[in-house]
Amino acid sequence: MIVRNWEGRVPRLKSPEFLRLMREVMLPDHHSAPGNRGAWCLHRRQDDVVHVRMVSHWESWDALRDFAGTDIDRPRSYYFDKDFLLEIPEKVEHWEMQEGRAVDTTGNLTRGR
């Protein structure tokens, strides 16, 4: 499994609207992509800036390329990015997951490779 990690920063006062767009636009975009095995938006406030991290899991490099395009190291951009982000990130990170466990909606452990 491949883990894709994107990070951005937004001004604190703009963060509620940006996080709403993450929830209503970015997360559904990731979740609906073939080969996506999960996506999460994390955020934390540090003074007047909110750090946002988008973490998504993909079943294969091919599935990730289908979503991200041929240059998978470039972030997927959204129409609202420039209105919120303090700078536009140029790169995302990718990690290969050796093994992981998650709990499904019934409370049962699942295993990913």
Side-chain angles (χ1 to χ4, degrees):
M1 188 174 310
I2 312 303
V3 177
R4 181 176 173 92
N5 182 44
W6 171 93
E7 295 181 43
R9 298 179 319 127
V10 297
R12 180 182 58 80
L13 294 176
K14 290 185 171 186
S15 66
E17 180 66 10
F18 185 74
L19 293 171
R20 182 188 68 77
L21 289 165
M22 294 283 287
R23 189 172 49 256
E24 294 177 4
V25 177
M26 293 173 111
L27 284 168
D29 184 39
H30 282 68
H31 289 147
S32 67
N36 179 267
R37 295 294 175 243
W40 300 264
C41 174
L42 312 172
H43 59 94
R44 68 179 172 87
R45 183 175 159 193
Q46 183 179 20
D47 300 320
D48 286 335
V49 173
V50 173
H51 299 261
V52 180
R53 180 173 293 186
M54 184 74 169
V55 178
S56 55
H57 293 187
W58 300 88
E59 69 183 23
S60 67
W61 289 107
D62 288 336
L64 181 55
R65 275 186 205 85
D66 288 344
F67 174 77
T70 54
D71 186 358
I72 61 170
D73 293 328
R74 295 205 41 86
R76 187 173 178 108
S77 61
Y78 291 86
Y79 66 91
F80 51 83
D81 286 347
K82 64 180 178 258
D83 296 330
F84 293 92
L85 293 169
L86 292 171
E87 62 273 325
I88 303 295
E90 294 183 20
K91 296 276 186 186
V92 295
E93 290 183 328
H94 296 100
W95 300 77
E96 292 188 64
M97 184 187 302
Q98 183 63 34
E99 182 175 338
R101 294 179 188 216
V103 176
D104 68 16
T105 57
T106 63
N108 295 316
L109 280 177
T110 60
R111 185 175 292 242
R113 291 195 185 267

